[in-house]
Amino acid sequence: MLLLFKIRIFRPLFTGAAVASVLLSASIAVAQSVTPASPQPESVQRFIGMFSDPDVQRFLQQQSEAAKTAAEPPLETRNADPSFSEFTMRFRAHASSLLGAIQSFPLETMRGGAVLERDIRANGGTRPIFLVAAFVAVGLAAQWLFWWISAGWRSWMTRAPYETVLERVIALAARLLWAACYVLSFGLGSIGFFLLFQWPPAIREIVVGYLFAIVVFRLASALFDVLLAPQAEEDGRFRVVPIAKDAAGHWAKRLGYLVGWFAFGWVTIRLLGTLGFSVPARQLVAYALGLVLLIIGIEAVWRRPSGLTAGQTTRIGLRARNWLWTVYFASVWLLWVMGAMKLFWIAVICAALPGAIALTKASVDNILRSSEDEGDGHKRGTVVSVIVERGIRAALIVGAIVLLADALEVRLTQMTMQDSPLLRLVRGLLSAGIILLIVDLAWSVVKVLIDRKLDDTETVLEVGSERERRRTRLRTLLPILRNFLMILFVAIAIMMALSSLGVEIGPLIAGAGVVGVAIGFGAQTVVKDVISGMFYLLDDAFRIGEYIQSGSYKGTVESFSLRSVKLRHHRGAVYIVPFSELGAVQNMSRDWVIEKMTITVTYDSDIEKARKIIKKIGQELFEDPEFKPTTLEPLKMQGIDSLGDSGLLLRMKVMTLPGQQFTLKRRALRMIHEAFHENGIKLAVPTVQVSGGKDDAVAAAAQQTLAAHNAAAVANPA
């Protein structure tokens, strides 16, 4: 304690060299204590034992790193763009440190073994491996107890339905919670029970570390078992990631091994630091353990199921893809070994991010799909699915950007005068990427809301009702609103991205205004079209699906753009008319329409009888289920319209919904014709009377002359 007190008092006087020399002397003393040549004083033994304490070693190591950091220049004054020679010297120094670690590794192993042996003797000679095995058994017992207690929970999960989105989310949440509790019971039974007792420092670090690695491995295995569900077809479980059963089993096992070995290696490297191993020695062990990760990854790639059915082909064969992945994994491992961490993280992120985004999208779509989507084969996005999928994608990309910025030593929130132009450009690009992600998320939510509203307006309601008018109004305005918002979001995203890149957008906006005025003068017709279209829509002059006529243009409104309207003529022709050329619009699809009909009867017809017949036919049509919903007033005769050359002209009228009068008119005329024929009312037809006399001889002579002329023409065809 006295030594520690002195060290704390004189901490400001320590330098990196002094701390290193103290560590070196302590290491030599520990190495000599393994095979002592002569008895040492008790004070020296206490001194050596004090330096063997992991807490003291950790304190001295922190002081050494702090002194080294103080000696280095701040980040702002470093050269942000090191030359190739500097990179070569760094790699040479890194390789030299690894070679030195290979030579000193036996000595460091003896020193660490001495520290561990001292704690083992203090613990009564019990080896850590036996303690780990014993407390793993205790954890398995606690895990079995939880398994027995949660029998009802497991039974419910086996029978849980997965038909609707809510049922799938609840069942998956229950499975994830059960898996977490299952692994937590093992952790509490092993680590928790171990920490109830007092143990020497090294023994405590080793046992707790490897028990923690086992917990991480089991937790990862449980998570992959829930997400991939290798036995989904047998126990009725739902597979979150939409892949085949054999692929699910393959990747669930390999990914569990990868996470477990990574946890084991991470704990091992930390324990080596606790036992006093140097940084190069720990790096050497880490690279060796990473080689096992490389082998697991390559084995997983080469033995993975192809995922292709018979008849399916790809541009790159399976064997070629396996070789590409093998080369990629080996290259990443070599970059790590060489110390090129910037290139290492760039290679990892560029390969992992697209796959993670695609996997996330497929999983979210699989979880949040609805029975309606499966029924008609049409994918209907929801606000929840868009927020979840785009939110996770944005989180992945932002996390990758932050990780990449940290690896490249780029501070996203700071900019100094010492930054190089390349560094500023990289910072601006990363910030612009985050801004674009946020704008994309907002636009996706707005777009799916508008699209869902448009889908709701596809069903045709009762013709002429207020709900039908509102539906057609929405189908007219929502596409224009969507296009306008898209342009607005794009403009905002571009301006914010340029601002993050360091571009002054104030002069840009002013210049854009001047250019806009110039373009407005040069494109007055286009501006006139856009403004006219806005006023037409504000006046609700026409909607999609309505039949309009403007001058020589007429047809059904099919769609809009910012400057024109598309009209479909009833004969099939399409007119694309600029708004400024429409002028006065005659809308033939609003509220109601009166169809007038005329019929001519002979002068000797009974007009009163004809009126009663027409009235009766009008009532029959008004009560007919086919015409009743669309007929506002029944057919009736208005009286004699005029006295014609061949008969009396009777006028009739009927009021219907727009567009429904033609069918009723054809049916009414057919029924009137039949009824008049049955009741002896004759329809008037034009007649021509030819009188006899002297004109008959003239007509006969004319016919003879015409016959003679035709015979001569046949005889002389030339």
Side-chain angles (χ1 to χ4, degrees):
M1 295 299 295
L2 180 61
L3 179 61
L4 286 176
F5 176 75
K6 292 180 179 180
I7 291 175
R8 295 179 187 272
I9 292 297
F10 295 99
R11 182 193 302 179
L13 303 178
F14 276 99
T15 62
V19 174
S21 63
V22 171
L23 284 174
L24 180 60
S25 62
S27 301
I28 296 174
V30 172
Q32 291 178 351
S33 65
V34 178
T35 56
S38 60
Q40 296 176 342
E42 183 180 355
S43 60
V44 176
Q45 293 181 359
R46 287 200 305 269
F47 180 78
I48 295 173
M50 194 171 297
F51 271 100
S52 301
D53 192 338
D55 295 333
V56 177
Q57 294 179 2
R58 190 179 300 109
F59 170 77
L60 294 176
Q61 185 178 359
Q62 291 175 357
Q63 297 302 314
S64 176
E65 293 176 354
K68 187 184 299 183
T69 304
E72 292 180 353
L75 182 62
E76 288 79 3
T77 60
R78 297 181 193 173
N79 186 9
D81 300 323
S83 62
F84 291 103
S85 60
E86 292 179 359
F87 176 79
T88 305
M89 294 302 295
R90 290 180 185 178
F91 173 71
R92 180 179 178 182
H94 180 67
S96 299
S97 64
L98 291 180
L99 292 176
I102 294 175
Q103 297 176 359
S104 63
F105 194 79
L107 180 61
E108 296 190 28
T109 304
M110 294 174 60
R111 185 176 65 245
V115 175
L116 181 60
E117 188 66 28
R118 179 180 58 81
D119 284 357
I120 290 175
R121 287 197 302 268
N123 193 39
T126 306
R127 299 287 176 180
I129 185 64
F130 298 111
L131 293 176
V132 171
F135 285 99
V136 165
V138 176
L140 291 176
Q143 184 176 275
W144 176 85
L145 180 62
F146 175 78
W147 176 277
W148 180 73
I149 294 174
S150 63
W153 192 350
R154 289 185 288 107
S155 177
W156 175 84
M157 289 190 300
T158 304
R159 303 188 308 268
Y162 295 93
E163 299 299 329
T164 64
V165 175
L166 182 61
E167 291 173 348
R168 284 194 290 270
V169 172
I170 293 176
L172 289 175
R175 287 191 176 276
L176 288 174
L177 181 60
W178 184 89
C181 294
Y182 185 68
V183 178
L184 182 62
S185 64
F186 173 82
L188 292 177
S190 57
I191 300 177
F193 189 69
F194 175 81
L195 294 178
L196 292 178
F197 305 95
Q198 294 293 334
W199 304 94
I203 298 294
R204 183 178 65 248
E205 292 291 332
I206 292 174
V207 176
V208 172
Y210 284 114
L211 288 178
F212 175 76
I214 295 174
V215 170
V216 171
F217 167 67
R218 294 180 63 85
L219 185 62
S221 300
L223 178 63
F224 293 137
D225 184 67
V226 173
L227 297 180
L228 298 176
Q231 307 297 329
E233 298 178 1
E234 298 178 1
D235 57 4
R237 286 190 293 173
F238 175 75
R239 183 175 295 124
V240 177
V241 183
I243 58 177
K245 179 182 177 181
D246 52 351
H250 174 85
W251 289 113
K253 184 182 296 183
R254 269 67 177 186
L255 291 175
Y257 291 161
L258 284 171
V259 174
W261 186 257
F262 178 81
F264 171 80
W266 180 75
V267 170
T268 301
I269 300 304
R270 289 185 60 88
L271 291 177
L272 291 179
T274 303
L275 294 176
F277 281 72
S278 63
V279 173
R282 282 181 282 166
Q283 289 179 342
L284 190 64
V285 176
Y287 297 149
L289 295 175
L291 188 61
V292 178
L293 290 177
L294 175 63
I295 294 173
I296 295 176
I298 294 175
E299 186 272 340
V301 167
W302 279 95
R303 300 189 62 181
R304 63 192 172 105
S306 63
L308 297 176
T309 59
Q312 287 184 333
T313 58
T314 58
R315 294 183 178 180
I316 303 178
L318 180 62
R319 186 178 181 85
R321 284 182 291 160
N322 292 341
W323 275 112
L324 288 176
W325 280 112
T326 302
V327 172
Y328 169 77
F329 287 150
S331 302
V332 169
W333 183 80
L334 287 176
L335 290 175
W336 179 42
V337 172
M338 293 169 58
M341 298 308 298
K342 293 183 179 180
L343 294 178
F344 170 81
W345 284 114
I346 291 175
V348 170
I349 292 174
C350 290
L353 185 60
I357 292 175
L359 194 64
T360 299
K361 185 179 185 306
S363 301
V364 172
D365 292 342
N366 188 34
I367 295 174
L368 300 181
R369 73 177 190 273
S370 62
S371 57
E372 296 179 358
D373 299 342
E374 297 176 353
D376 57 5
H378 179 63
K379 179 63 182 177
R380 295 183 177 89
T382 61
V383 178
V384 175
S385 64
V386 170
I387 291 177
V388 172
E389 189 264 324
R390 295 301 176 95
I392 295 177
R393 186 180 72 172
L396 290 174
I397 297 178
V398 170
I401 290 175
V402 173
L403 182 61
L404 194 60
D406 182 70
L408 298 177
E409 298 179 354
V410 176
R411 298 181 180 180
L412 294 176
T413 58
Q414 298 181 6
M415 181 178 294
T416 61
M417 296 301 296
Q418 290 79 11
D419 290 342
S420 64
L422 178 61
L423 185 59
R424 295 185 181 184
L425 179 61
V426 172
R427 180 186 290 110
L429 290 175
L430 296 179
S431 302
I434 296 176
I435 293 172
L436 293 178
L437 285 173
I438 297 175
V439 174
D440 175 70
L441 177 61
W443 161 244
S444 299
V445 173
V446 172
K447 181 176 180 297
V448 75
L449 286 174
I450 295 177
D451 290 342
R452 296 288 292 187
K453 196 66 178 178
L454 283 174
D455 291 339
D456 295 339
T457 59
E458 286 184 353
T459 304
V460 179
L461 303 175
E462 183 180 355
V463 180
S465 63
E466 182 63 28
R467 295 179 60 191
E468 174 64 14
R469 287 194 291 268
R470 183 173 178 269
R471 183 191 73 86
T472 56
R473 178 71 170 165
L474 289 176
R475 289 191 64 82
T476 301
L477 296 179
L478 286 179
I480 299 176
L481 177 63
R482 181 177 57 191
N483 295 334
F484 173 77
L485 291 178
M486 181 187 68
I487 296 174
L488 179 64
F489 276 107
V490 169
I492 292 175
I494 292 176
M495 291 299 176
M496 295 181 68
L498 291 176
S499 177
S500 65
L501 290 173
V503 178
E504 293 292 338
I505 62 174
L508 184 63
I509 294 176
V514 175
V515 173
V517 173
I519 293 176
F521 280 111
Q524 297 183 24
T525 304
V526 177
V527 176
K528 183 179 179 182
D529 292 335
V530 174
I531 296 177
S532 300
M534 292 175 56
F535 282 105
Y536 275 121
L537 295 178
L538 289 177
D539 293 340
D540 195 17
F542 43 80
R543 306 167 186 168
I544 292 179
E546 293 183 340
Y547 194 92
I548 65 173
Q549 181 174 357
S550 176
S552 60
Y553 306 110
K554 60 181 178 180
T556 304
V557 180
E558 283 195 345
S559 62
F560 296 93
S561 67
L562 291 177
R563 61 173 298 272
S564 63
V565 58
K566 183 183 294 185
L567 302 180
R568 174 74 65 175
H569 194 269
H570 57 271
R571 293 181 180 176
V574 176
Y575 297 109
I576 300 177
V577 187
F579 286 117
S580 60
E581 295 185 11
L582 283 178
V585 175
Q586 181 181 1
N587 194 323
M588 303 178 183
S589 300
R590 292 289 176 88
D591 302 329
W592 47 266
V593 63
I594 293 179
E595 180 67 18
K596 294 187 176 182
M597 298 174 283
T598 58
I599 189 172
T600 305
V601 297
T602 58
Y603 279 100
D604 57 351
S605 299
D606 189 349
I607 303 301
E608 181 62 22
K609 187 176 182 181
R611 186 189 66 80
K612 293 180 179 179
I613 292 174
I614 293 174
K615 181 178 180 181
K616 181 180 179 182
I617 292 175
Q619 291 295 329
E620 291 178 358
L621 291 175
F622 188 73
E623 298 297 333
D624 192 332
E626 181 181 355
F627 300 102
K628 186 174 183 179
T630 59
T631 305
L632 301 180
E633 291 184 2
L635 175 68
K636 59 183 178 180
M637 191 180 80
Q638 294 179 286
I640 300 175
D641 184 68
S642 63
L643 302 175
D645 295 335
S646 57
L648 301 174
L649 189 66
L650 306 181
R651 180 177 293 276
M652 302 166 287
K653 73 172 184 177
V654 62
M655 180 185 290
T656 66
L657 294 177
Q660 307 298 320
Q661 69 272 22
F662 304 107
T663 305
L664 187 142
K665 177 181 178 181
R666 287 189 288 268
R667 176 73 65 84
L669 291 177
R670 180 172 64 85
M671 295 177 65
I672 290 173
H673 177 266
E674 295 175 353
F676 279 10
H677 180 72
E678 293 175 356
N679 290 274
I681 300 177
K682 297 180 180 180
L683 299 178
V685 294
T687 58
V688 177
Q689 293 182 356
V690 180
S691 59
K694 294 186 293 182
D695 294 336
D696 293 340
V698 177
Q703 287 183 352
Q704 291 178 359
T705 304
L706 180 60
H709 177 73
N710 292 335
V714 173
N716 300 307

